[in-house]
Amino acid sequence: KNPKNYGYDRFDPIVELVDNHALAATKEHEKDIETLASYLGVFGKRYSPANEYLQVRAIYSWITHNIKYDKPALLDGVTSDNDAVQVFKNRKAVCHGQANLFQAFCDELKIKCHVVTGPVKTRFIEDEKLVEHAWNAVEIHGKRHLLDCTWGCMVDDKKNKVDPFRYAMNEFYFLTPPELLILNHFTKDPDLQL
C-alpha cells in the first residue's frame, strides 16, 4: 500500500497535526455538527484558498475514531436512524449513517460531497456475498476522490479481512484509488465509481 494517495503524503507532519487536532475535540466543540465542522475545518481554513484536503482528513479522522459501527444493527438486520444529526448524537451507525454524517460535515465546510451507494463484497462474512453499502465521493481542489468511513474504522486482520468488531483508523479507505476500490465497492452510477 503506497503511503502517497493522489499526491497527498499521509506521512506529512501536517497530516499528523490534523489527526491530533481532530481527536482533541472537546465536548464544547462537539455540541452540534455545525460547531464541530468549524473546529475540524480550522487547519484547512488557515490556507488561501482553503485546503480542502486537510478539512476532509480531519472529518475522516474524527468519524473513524468517534462513530462506532452499530453492531446490533449488523447482527439483527435492524437499521438505526441514519440521519446525520441522530448519528452524531448516538455516536453509532451503519454505513449509510456514517456516510450521511460525513456529507453533513462537508456541507458545513462547503466541500462538494456525495453519498455513494451500491453493493460491496463483504469481507467479514465467510462467503463473499454482495450486500448494500454506502460510502462517499468528495471533491478536493476540483478532483473527486472516494473514501469509506465505515470500512476506514475497521481493522484489517492478517488475512486481509475487515473485522467489524475492532476499531482503528484504516488508511486504505481514505482517498482510495478508484481502480482499487472497485475491487469490492460497486455502484450503478459510473460517474460516482470514478
Side-chain angles (χ1 to χ4, degrees):
K1 297 176 184 175
N2 189 339
K4 290 200 177 213
N5 201 353
Y6 287 100
Y8 301 115
D9 186 348
R10 292 182 177 140
F11 297 109
D12 187 316
I14 197 159
V15 173
E16 185 177 354
L17 288 173
V18 169
D19 288 347
N20 290 339
H21 175 75
L23 300 179
T26 65
K27 288 184 181 183
E28 184 177 311
H29 298 125
E30 296 177 348
K31 69 180 181 179
D32 55 40
I33 291 172
E34 298 81 12
T35 304
L36 184 56
S38 179
Y39 172 79
L40 294 175
V42 74
F43 267 91
K45 290 178 181 178
R46 290 180 181 166
Y47 297 87
S48 182
N51 189 318
E52 295 167 342
Y53 168 74
L54 296 178
Q55 294 172 325
V56 166
R57 177 64 188 204
I59 296 167
Y60 181 84
S61 183
W62 189 87
I63 289 176
T64 57
H65 284 86
N66 289 282
I67 305 298
K68 300 300 180 200
Y69 194 81
D70 191 346
K71 296 174 196 176
L74 171 70
L75 298 174
D76 300 335
V78 178
T79 58
S80 56
D81 191 341
N82 291 316
D83 174 73
V85 174
Q86 288 304 311
V87 171
F88 181 76
K89 178 183 171 187
N90 297 330
R91 297 292 203 267
K92 66 180 180 175
V94 294
C95 56
H96 286 81
Q98 291 187 5
N100 289 340
L101 181 59
F102 185 88
Q103 181 170 355
F105 281 128
C106 286
D107 289 347
E108 287 297 321
L109 294 172
K110 309 293 189 253
I111 297 171
K112 293 179 184 174
C113 180
H114 298 281
V115 173
V116 183
T117 60
V120 294
K121 285 184 184 178
T122 58
R123 295 172 12 161
F124 46 83
I125 297 175
E126 285 299 318
D127 56 339
E128 285 195 358
K129 65 180 184 177
L130 295 176
V131 296
E132 281 301 306
H133 188 56
W135 60 99
N136 296 94
V138 63
E139 190 171 307
I140 300 174
H141 305 303
K143 183 173 180 175
R144 289 194 292 176
H145 303 273
L146 300 169
L147 59 85
D148 186 340
C149 290
T150 303
W151 283 23
C153 71
M154 296 178 188
V155 174
D156 273 342
D157 69 14
K158 292 177 183 173
K159 295 178 183 173
N160 201 30
K161 301 260 185 194
V162 170
D163 183 344
F165 302 104
R166 292 177 39 215
Y167 298 95
M169 188 165 66
N170 186 331
E171 291 286 352
F172 181 76
Y173 294 102
F174 179 68
L175 308 185
T176 309
E179 62 273 14
L180 294 179
L181 198 63
I182 198 171
L183 297 175
N184 53 23
H185 287 61
F186 314 101
T187 181
K188 293 177 182 163
D189 184 348
D191 195 41
L192 293 176
Q193 192 72 62
L194 309 189

